[in-house]
Amino acid sequence: TEEADPSTITGLRNWYKAHALALSDNDLVTTWDAESGNGYDATQSTVANKPTYKTNQINGLPAVMFSADTGVEHYLNLPSMSSLTAGEIFAVIKTNDDPASAPKGGLWSLSSGTTGPDGTWYPYSDSQKYESFGTTSRKTLGNPSDALTSWRAYNVRSGADGFAALIDGSVFYQTETNT
């Protein structure tokens, strides 16, 4: 199949492709260059927090694994996008356990909320999915009926006109208000 070309999406700031990384299985990811070429590279200088590059994960393609199973959160830092008033994230993700056996860390922290009790969890130890992307009030999205231990297309969008979260293209949570 033909690979989609995200550069045709109006207003797109950045995107990341695991198969564009020149790494070997189990290498730590220090820098993940933004495919947009606009300098929004994702970086991590602290060895203990670097995610791991894994080969042959999704239909033969690699993935970057952000694990908190060791008690240490793995994450990448992004340049500030605080001037944006709306945004959308598409990610292909899965979790090792659903529900999580214990709180292990969030997906991202891109709003005034944080990871931890006020952040994004996919899922949290109570089986609920929580999201704080682009909002000052964390949303409780609910408990997805399909197991999150398989690869899922996760999409969240946030703006003044509302907030929505989709799993595999189906709306999982939506509201017309967003603060």
Side-chain angles (χ1 to χ4, degrees):
T1 62
E2 187 175 326
E3 185 175 318
D5 181 8
S7 67
T8 62
I9 300 172
T10 302
L12 182 69
R13 295 284 179 138
N14 50 350
W15 73 92
Y16 305 91
K17 298 188 301 188
H19 62 280
L21 293 167
L23 298 172
S24 298
D25 196 40
N26 293 318
D27 281 353
L28 298 179
V29 178
T30 300
T31 302
W32 196 350
D33 295 332
E35 293 296 312
S36 58
N38 63 12
Y40 284 109
D41 299 343
T43 62
Q44 181 53 264
S45 59
T46 304
V47 173
N49 298 119
K50 292 181 181 184
T52 306
Y53 181 82
K54 299 295 290 180
T55 58
N56 199 27
Q57 297 296 301
I58 310 168
N59 298 325
L61 294 172
V64 176
M65 184 173 71
F66 297 84
S67 176
D69 289 339
T70 61
V72 176
E73 291 186 35
H74 298 144
Y75 62 94
L76 294 169
N77 298 300
L78 295 169
S80 174
M81 293 183 242
S82 62
S83 64
L84 301 178
T85 58
E88 188 164 11
I89 293 176
F90 293 90
V92 179
I93 57 180
K94 76 172 183 173
T95 184
N96 289 335
D97 53 352
D98 177 18
S101 55
K104 296 180 180 176
L107 284 176
W108 41 64
S109 180
L110 300 172
S111 67
S112 61
T114 61
T115 57
D118 297 322
T120 296
W121 297 89
Y122 183 95
Y124 193 65
S125 57
D126 63 0
S127 299
Q128 298 295 306
K129 169 73 183 81
Y130 296 97
E131 183 60 69
S132 65
F133 171 66
T135 183
T136 58
S137 59
R138 181 184 72 176
K139 311 292 187 205
T140 301
L141 308 184
N143 182 1
S145 58
D146 292 330
L148 303 177
T149 53
S150 297
W151 290 106
R152 302 281 180 213
Y154 179 63
N155 171 221
V156 60
R157 54 182 166 239
S158 182
D161 59 344
F163 179 96
L166 295 83
I167 296 177
D168 294 335
S170 295
V171 175
F172 178 62
Y173 176 92
Q174 185 170 352
T175 180
E176 293 181 11
T177 60
N178 189 29
T179 57

